[in-house]
Amino acid sequence: MNTFAESFVAAWHLLVSGDAVLWSIVLRSLLVSACACALSCVLGLLAGAWLGVARFPGRGALLTVLNTLLALPSVVVGLVVYLLLSNSGPLGFLGWLFSFKAMVLAQSVLVLPVVTALTRQVIEDAERAHGEQLRSLGARPLLRAVLLVWDERYALVTVLIAAFGRAVSEVGAVMVVGGNIDGFTRVMTTAIVLETSKGDLPLALALGTVLLLVVLVLNLAISLLRAWRERADGGAVQAARRGALA
């Protein structure tokens, strides 16, 4: 019990003292996840919006594959990216293995199916509600996708926040392709694994606390966004009713 309490006290001291090693790991982790989400969200929003409105042969099979990729283990993603970036792989000439870029690529591959699938569901639901009206106005699939993305932008912000949470809490892929190199590719999740195995519980606890706070802030942001959207929608409905009664 004393060791447990002492570890928490030491972890708190690391947090409030601005420990350079701790906060460099935190900053690197957030930067990797932010870059990965920026890349995967651009591609995922485009692909998901198109899948939400497009109808073509084989779409059901494609959606089945996409939904399967949602449960893709992160270590498998890391292995595939490792093989691609290794010296004998097709992307070996880039020299990205065990680098910041490799971790961004691995997290992007991991998050891309999540963004695509969630965006597709949001846009497809909106298409059911408003698609017929847009089609009657002559809007083709690409235009409908753009209009529905804008109309559902607040819901899609929730998707992006969830994607960042998925990326920042991932450990397997970045461990495989990044190598957990001190000062270069060590991020919060891989550092927690390493420091726990070394018995450096204060640093592991401090990093775990920061990671939990990041996830908590993301979930709080999602809840606040949903509550604000519900109030805004409710206010719009009441304003429309008052206008109709007037």
Side-chain angles (χ1 to χ4, degrees):
M1 178 61 70
N2 290 334
T3 302
F4 186 77
E6 290 171 359
S7 297
F8 266 103
V9 171
W12 176 254
H13 177 72
L14 288 174
L15 289 170
V16 299
S17 64
D19 183 77
V21 174
L22 168 68
W23 291 109
S24 66
I25 293 173
V26 172
L27 180 61
R28 187 180 306 112
S29 182
L30 296 177
L31 190 57
V32 168
S33 298
C35 292
C37 281
L39 179 60
S40 61
C41 285
V42 170
L43 299 176
L45 286 173
L46 293 174
W50 178 73
L51 285 173
V53 299
R55 298 296 181 269
F56 53 88
R59 180 176 181 273
L62 180 59
L63 293 183
T64 300
V65 173
L66 178 62
N67 291 331
T68 301
L69 293 177
L70 291 174
L72 189 64
S74 60
V75 289
V76 174
V77 173
L79 175 60
V80 172
V81 175
Y82 178 92
L83 293 174
L84 290 173
L85 297 178
S86 64
N87 291 332
S88 59
L91 301 179
F93 66 93
L94 295 173
W96 285 4
L97 196 60
F98 303 132
S99 69
F100 183 94
K101 296 176 182 178
M103 295 192 297
V104 171
L105 179 60
Q107 285 196 0
S108 298
V109 173
L110 187 67
V111 172
L112 180 59
V114 177
V115 178
T116 304
L118 294 179
T119 301
R120 193 274 310 172
Q121 187 62 61
V122 170
I123 299 303
E124 187 169 326
D125 291 343
E127 168 78 358
R128 292 194 188 100
H130 310 293
E132 184 175 353
Q133 180 181 1
L134 292 174
R135 284 191 295 271
S136 67
L137 296 173
R140 301 186 65 82
L142 181 58
L143 179 57
R144 294 204 309 273
V146 172
L147 293 174
L148 292 174
V149 164
W150 175 253
D151 188 59
E152 298 296 327
R153 58 191 181 279
Y154 299 112
L156 294 177
V157 169
T158 301
V159 172
L160 304 187
I161 295 173
F164 184 83
R166 174 74 173 94
V168 77
S169 60
E170 187 279 325
V171 58
V174 292
M175 179 77 81
V176 173
V177 303
N180 200 23
I181 303 172
D182 187 20
F184 292 96
T185 61
R186 185 164 297 169
V187 294
M188 283 190 285
T189 51
T190 59
I192 290 171
V193 174
L194 176 65
E195 300 304 328
T196 301
S197 65
K198 289 167 52 180
D200 189 356
L201 297 182
L203 181 55
L205 283 170
L207 289 168
T209 300
V210 174
L211 185 58
L212 286 174
L213 288 175
V214 170
V215 176
L216 176 62
V217 169
L218 292 174
N219 284 305
L220 182 60
I222 292 174
S223 299
L224 291 175
L225 183 60
R226 286 177 177 171
W228 177 82
R229 180 68 188 277
E230 289 174 359
R231 288 196 301 269
D233 290 344
V237 170
Q238 291 178 2
R241 288 177 178 174
R242 287 195 297 268
L245 292 175

